[in-house]
Amino acid sequence: MLNYRHLHYFWVVTKEGGFARAAERMDMAVQTISAQVRELEKALGHQLLKPSGRGVALTEAGQAAFARAEEIFQLGQGIPDEVREAGSGKVARLAVGLSDGISKLAAHALLEPVLSTPNLRLVCHEGEFEQLLSELALHHLDLVLAGQAAPRNPNLRLTSERLVDSPVEWYGPARLVGKTKRDRFPQSLNDLPVLLPTGHSALRPTLDHWFESQGLRPRIVGEFEDSALLAVFAARGLGVFPVSRLGADDVGLMRGLRLLGSSEGVKEEIHAIRSRRGQHHPLVMQVVAAARL
């Protein structure tokens, strides 16, 4: 079994750039720290550090070990606060993963029912779909919101439910969205600067297919992974953009944005993915129940 004390010494030596500075930081003898790092290298079967000037540098094997050590000890630094909060019984913690490409405006709308929970500690992580599923399976997350269902994999022990099947609407700044443009929608998209989600979004291929079916060739002036950022640039006059009706309530808070039209037949899906152990998390249950209404 890995000796985490040895790993910690290696991590500190790497962070400090040498054994001498690590020894000074830890108030220990250089020889002691050096011996512990050698024990780690022996256990792992690879050299992790090599001389570099007056200090040390990572080997390729050392880079892999340091990347994991960085994750482990950064997580470890948060344990005292989390234990103290959990022990007090006052903190309601909810860790949510947001898959790349889903509308953050819609995600905010889905989470809104729990945002007034007393002593809520909401932790949101954004990342690739597969990475978030792994974090969920390891119980580092309570819920993942994604543009697709979880794959059938009995080893992951995950369940998913479609929460959103929301029509997609187009908004833009008042100076671009006049009566003529609204009356001519969707053909008016050929005459307007258009902002779109990037290819990371599950919505983007659907929109591209819709453009083709409508005979549209929009002038794309910007692509954004974050729908909230996309809305901000639209509000500043850069162009018109699509957003699910669920997220449109947040768009309404941005002064100057007006409804241009609705993409007939185009919808955004968002799925709630949970681990079996996490199905009974009260805040997750509240989010799912509110979305079903």
Side-chain angles (χ1 to χ4, degrees), residues 104-135:
K104 303 310 182 294
L105 294 173
H108 175 267
L110 286 171
L111 295 174
E112 196 277 333
V114 302
L115 297 184
S116 59
T117 302
N119 301 309
L120 174 68
R121 182 175 180 183
L122 177 64
V123 181
C124 289
H125 296 275
E126 185 177 4
E128 297 287 344
F129 182 64
E130 292 78 10
Q131 173 198 349
L132 294 177
L133 293 190
S134 298
E135 294 294 307

Side-chain angles (χ1 to χ4, degrees), residues 22 39 138 184 192 211 248 293:
E39 287 297 320
L138 293 171
R184 293 185 56 247
L192 292 167
F211 289 146
L293 296 177

